[in-house]
Amino acid sequence: MAREAAKHPLGELVRQSPPFDVHYIPDDSWMKDKVVIITGGASGFGEGFVKRWAAAGAVVIAADVNVEKGDRLIRDVKHLTGNPHLHFIHCDVTNWQSQVNLFKEAARVSPHGGIDTVVANAGIAGSKRIFDQPHDIDLVNPPPPDLAVLDVNLTGVVYTSYLALWYLPRNPGSSPANAKCVPSQTLRDRHLILIASVAGLMPIPGATLYGTSKHAVVGLYRNLRSSSFMHGVRVNLICPYFIDTPLVLPAVHMLLAGGTMGKADDVVDATTRFAADPRVVGRAVTVGPKLNVKQDEKGEWNLVEGEKKNGIVDEPNGGDSRLDRMVPGHDCSPSPPDALVMAKRPSYLTETLPYNYTVLPNAAFQPPEALPHRYPDMVDTFASYKYRNTCNISSLDLHSPFAPLCHDRKSLLTAMSSGGRIGHDAPYMPRDCDMRWFSTEEICEILSRFEKVIVLGDSMMRHVIGSMNVLIRKDLGYGAVTDWNFSPEERYDAWPIDFSIGIFKTADVVKNDPESVACPANTIDVTIEQMIRFPIPSDEIDRLRALLPAKKPARPYAFIFGHGLWNDLDLQATLDWLDTLLDAISQHAPWLSTSLDSVPTPQKSLKTKAGRAATKHERKHDSGFWPRLFLTPNAAGREKPDEWIVSQGNKALMIFEESIGIEVNRRGVEHLGTWNMSVQSNKFDGVHMDLKGNLIKAMMVMNWLNMLEVEKF
């Protein structure tokens, strides 16, 4: 395991599960009630999948061009298993509309309206050796080649995979694929299985087009598994050896005469392991004939005559040039439920990853690093969001990625505070180093590192938490508001997003509309207490204390503050407001810092190096873990009322931001300025940014959360 991790450090980044014990037999009951589409489901491997999974209680939709075989198979299996949830749907995989109809009908007959697993199994061998022997040489012009093999084995698989990635993330009740889940408790899935061949790993003389198509399927798998985690989808690959199915031509039988062929049951076993066990993510196996082998003194493996019992199962690893054997005996027992929560930051923040890039001469910005964790930065992560086209917002409109990434919180906060745009409402870019634009799945994982994220402040902070809910609900239309109890008139009035009727805590969403949350159940908790006035009313302080446990929780808390406009940028009033909150938090939750005893009190004052009296929060709590961030107000817009231009205009806002940055750092609180980011953004009322600007602000906060060293808690 350690050797593999060292060889392939990117496996963790793309959520790949570790190698597994190939001798482990999964529980077929894990397939019960799973809705599965199988293309090429009327014969061969497809027939085996139908029989095995129908017996396990799955809802099986077999698709094939052969209507007679498909109908007969479903009738026979229904009779044998007593499973009524079996369906045959005619489908020509080379026809796009035929596949669209298949998926629509599968979702319609699904008991829960979704699809758990898609098996891209349809394939043909083809009998014409177009590259190996001339045809019709007496013709004046060469005839076009017959590309039916590519049409079925490649185009058909691409169609199936595309539709799978469209439907699987929309599976009601499903959660993003997770290698540490508990199979018996994972009722819904998001799983794509690709069926390739050993012909996709090595040349097969005389089967050029077939080998080409299967090499392409292997390439499709390798690329999809590095990005499908963005959709919460797991992708796995099966590469059978020569298996005794109708696909194998008579010539191959002759070639292997006296040799050994694999059995379809072995492929069904391997595929069932993938389908039944949701912990298997981004893995591939080759399945060959069962042989009895023994290793000699030189380390060579030799065939032993006699009983054939040991299966040959290898994995095409992340390295493209070789095969790595699976690791026998690896512990595949179910992980405990709390293993879902990540206890540390991802490796790209804690390890140096190899990256050889080409610097573009005379370019203002270098292209982003060609590494998997930067993939979401370069695509539209809103592509699957509700109302994406209606709102006409792409994540690429909001942030323009470049290299290098910021390597620590200090450089990150400086870059985000001093970054800007090249033109009005253009994509935002930090300065000197870049931030990430996370996928929703990454946002869920980041938030799951914390017991609770508490936001404290004014209406601008309400817009931040509203935008965070847009991201975790994948809804650009109503993701920030309590739309579950809206009447049609209220839904109309709330368009576009009206943050004044926004969500105050994710717990409300989980309670009232759990299906809208993309994060796994009970893993995130983000809440806001809107506190504007100073002195702070006692009931508001009481509400804050109620959020804090007296004893240290299992995961850390994070605090995000924002204040200023409501007291007319009165610096001292804002600092008094902040000090009051810090006092209340530290007194009610002493576990936040083990060095509170050394913090000065009003009766025991310290002097700073400058000779002035230190505040109670002057010293940073070095031995505790108390993450705190202060956001200063965004820039003013043209529509800001004239009466506020002097006291709250852009000059006053810039001075306030600079002063706050100095003062909060004295208190051990980090600072994120938003003036530069927002000066060229839209402000619908001259004060508040629109949805696009607030999504950027929320993503800046997520970058800060991602950088926190939670492993020190």
Side-chain angles (χ1 to χ4, degrees):
M1 283 294 297
R3 288 195 302 272
E4 168 147 332
K7 293 174 184 175
H8 306 291
L10 301 183
E12 178 186 342
L13 301 180
V14 299
R15 314 296 195 271
Q16 185 185 35
S17 60
F20 53 85
D21 182 0
V22 298
H23 303 296
Y24 174 81
I25 301 175
D27 188 340
D28 277 20
S29 67
W30 295 345
M31 291 294 298
K32 182 174 173 57
D33 298 326
K34 297 289 176 64
V35 177
V36 186
I37 293 178
I38 306 167
T39 63
S43 62
F45 301 146
E47 180 180 355
F49 301 151
V50 171
K51 292 178 177 178
R52 175 76 171 266
W53 300 341
V59 179
V60 181
I61 296 97
D64 205 291
V65 291
N66 194 321
V67 176
E68 182 181 354
K69 280 189 176 182
D71 282 337
R72 183 170 63 247
L73 173 65
I74 295 302
R75 286 197 306 271
D76 292 346
V77 177
K78 278 185 178 180
H79 177 73
L80 289 172
T81 64
N83 185 343
H85 300 296
L86 309 179
H87 309 271
F88 173 76
I89 299 174
H90 172 265
C91 179
D92 176 2
V93 294
T94 67
N95 184 289
W96 167 252
Q97 192 57 49
S98 183
Q99 289 221 42
V100 170
N101 295 341
L102 163 65
F103 278 78
K104 284 184 176 180
E105 182 64 12
R108 188 189 69 81
V109 301
S110 166
H112 67 278
I115 299 165
D116 295 294
T117 298
V118 176
V119 186
N121 172 69
I124 61 174
S127 58
K128 295 183 179 180
R129 301 170 57 182
I130 64 173
F131 288 100
D132 302 305
Q133 57 190 27
H135 295 280
D136 301 317
I137 58 176
D138 56 330
L139 297 178
V140 175
N141 296 314
D146 183 352
L147 301 180
V149 172
L150 297 183
D151 293 339
V152 175
N153 297 1
L154 178 53
T155 302
V157 171
V158 170
Y159 285 168
T160 304
S161 302
Y162 180 89
L163 288 165
L165 291 181
W166 177 269
Y167 276 87
L168 291 173
R170 292 168 167 80
N171 186 16
S174 67
S175 298
N178 191 311
K180 296 182 180 179
C181 68
V182 180
S184 60
Q185 299 176 10
T186 307
L187 304 181
R188 303 268 66 88
D189 204 349
R190 303 177 185 179
H191 189 199
L192 170 62
I193 303 176
L194 300 174
I195 308 295
S197 165
V198 291
L201 305 172
M202 60 188 70
I204 303 295
T208 304
L209 282 185
Y210 181 78
T212 298
S213 68
K214 294 303 181 180
H215 271 77
V217 173
V218 173
L220 177 65
Y221 155 75
R222 284 174 169 154
N223 282 277
L224 284 180
R225 75 168 175 180
S226 68
S227 60
S228 63
F229 71 89
M230 293 176 52
H231 308 285
V233 174
R234 61 188 185 107
V235 180
N236 294 303
L237 176 75
I238 300 288
C239 293
Y241 179 69
F242 292 111
I243 306 294
D244 192 7
T245 69
L247 198 65
V248 178
L249 300 173
V252 176
H253 282 280
M254 294 177 62
L255 177 66
L256 297 175
T260 304
M261 295 185 69
K263 300 297 182 183
D265 287 347
D266 299 330
V267 177
V268 173
D269 285 343
T271 311
T272 300
R273 174 64 193 278
F274 282 174
D277 193 342
R279 296 168 298 179
V280 182
V281 182
R283 308 307 305 194
V285 294
T286 58
V287 183
K290 292 182 177 179
L291 304 171
N292 194 14
V293 295
K294 184 177 181 180
Q295 193 171 26
D296 61 23
E297 296 177 354
K298 298 180 180 180
E300 298 293 332
W301 291 94
N302 300 306
L303 181 64
V304 178
E305 296 295 333
E307 184 181 1
K308 301 173 181 177
K309 54 185 179 181
N310 294 329
I312 300 176
V313 184
D314 288 327
E315 178 169 18
N317 201 289
D320 289 346
S321 59
R322 65 184 183 86
L323 299 177
D324 277 354
R325 273 195 174 82
M326 294 280 212
V327 180
H330 179 69
D331 181 14
C332 280
S333 58
S335 305
D338 60 357
L340 181 65
V341 179
M342 191 175 187
K344 60 182 181 180
R345 295 169 294 157
S347 60
Y348 72 83
L349 292 176
T350 59
E351 300 175 8
T352 301
L353 298 178
Y355 171 55
N356 297 320
Y357 63 90
T358 301
V359 175
L360 299 180
N362 304 318
F365 301 97
Q366 299 301 324
E369 299 89 337
L371 293 172
H373 63 269
R374 299 232 60 185
Y375 180 80
D377 303 342
M378 297 179 279
V379 300
D380 179 14
T381 59
F382 298 161
S384 61
Y385 280 29
K386 293 180 180 178
Y387 302 102
R388 158 64 179 84
N389 294 332
T390 305
C391 296
N392 193 27
I393 299 177
S394 164
S395 64
L396 297 175
D397 296 333
L398 309 185
H399 168 244
S400 183
F402 65 95
L405 273 179
C406 297
H407 63 280
D408 57 35
R409 289 204 311 281
K410 183 178 180 180
S411 62
L412 173 72
L413 291 171
T414 300
M416 293 192 301
S417 298
S418 56
R421 308 164 187 262
I422 307 175
H424 181 76
D425 212 29
Y428 165 71
M429 301 178 71
R431 182 177 179 180
D432 294 331
C433 61
D434 198 12
M435 67 182 208
R436 286 288 321 282
W437 192 275
F438 300 110
S439 66
T440 292
E441 288 69 29
E442 289 177 303
I443 290 170
C444 291
E445 186 277 313
I446 293 168
L447 293 175
S448 74
R449 300 176 204 167
F450 301 90
E451 195 77 23
K452 192 184 291 287
V453 177
I454 299 178
V455 181
L456 302 166
D458 54 21
S459 60
M460 289 194 173
M461 303 309 294
R462 190 173 68 228
H463 295 188
V464 171
I465 193 173
S467 297
M468 292 172 72
N469 278 287
V470 168
L471 297 170
I472 65 175
R473 297 179 75 192
K474 291 189 171 184
D475 187 342
L476 293 169
Y478 296 98
V481 296
T482 56
D483 60 318
W484 52 80
N485 56 10
F486 281 10
S487 66
E489 293 77 14
E490 288 171 324
R491 289 182 67 85
Y492 178 82
D493 292 339
W495 184 274
I497 285 180
D498 182 355
F499 288 103
S500 65
I501 50 175
I503 296 166
F504 278 64
K505 51 187 177 180
T506 53
D508 288 341
V509 189
V510 173
K511 177 182 177 181
N512 294 285
D513 192 11
E515 295 295 326
S516 71
V517 182
C519 305
N522 303 317
T523 59
I524 64 169
D525 189 353
V526 184
T527 188
I528 183 173
E529 284 297 332
Q530 191 161 319
M531 297 178 170
I532 300 172
R533 294 169 290 172
F534 183 81
I536 303 175
S538 59
D539 62 318
E540 294 183 3
I541 294 293
D542 290 341
R543 289 203 307 270
L544 171 59
R545 287 174 176 154
L547 298 175
L548 304 172
K551 295 183 179 180
K552 185 177 180 179
R555 294 173 293 171
Y557 274 50
F559 298 85
I560 304 164
F561 305 92
H563 197 260
L565 286 182
W566 287 90
N567 61 17
D568 210 17
L569 300 183
D570 184 329
L571 178 63
Q572 190 57 54
T574 291
L575 293 176
D576 291 341
W577 173 88
L578 177 62
D579 286 339
T580 301
L581 293 178
L582 294 176
D583 283 339
I585 294 169
S586 60
Q587 290 168 6
H588 196 76
W591 49 267
L592 283 167
S593 176
T594 57
S595 60
L596 284 174
D597 291 340
S598 63
V599 176
T601 64
Q603 291 76 30
K604 183 181 178 182
S605 180
L606 291 180
K607 295 290 186 180
T608 66
K609 292 181 179 180
R612 55 177 172 75
T615 68
K616 182 175 181 180
H617 300 285
E618 182 94 25
R619 296 181 57 179
K620 295 185 179 180
H621 310 305
D622 298 325
S623 57
F625 186 77
W626 189 1
R628 292 156 290 169
L629 179 68
F630 194 104
L631 270 67
T632 37
N634 52 251
R638 292 179 301 177
E639 292 80 8
K640 191 156 193 169
D642 292 343
E643 60 189 287
W644 302 112
I645 290 300
V646 175
S647 61
Q648 294 186 14
N650 281 321
K651 179 179 179 180
L653 285 164
M654 293 170 68
I655 294 173
F656 182 81
E657 179 169 291
E658 183 177 351
S659 302
I660 280 288
I662 296 171
E663 290 296 329
V664 300
N665 281 327
R666 289 175 51 205
R667 291 157 169 79
V669 179
E670 295 178 292
H671 170 245
L672 173 61
T674 64
W675 190 91
N676 275 291
M677 178 274 289
S678 58
V679 68
Q680 293 192 89
S681 68
N682 288 323
K683 270 78 65 174
F684 59 88
D685 59 359
V687 178
H688 300 96
M689 291 189 295
D690 63 6
L691 176 60
K692 293 190 290 184
N694 282 299
L695 285 169
I696 296 172
K697 190 185 293 187
M699 194 61 70
M700 295 165 80
V701 171
M702 291 306 308
N703 272 264
W704 175 76
L705 290 169
N706 182 51
M707 283 279 192
L708 291 172
E709 299 169 336
V710 292
E711 58 268 22
K712 292 184 177 180
F713 181 67

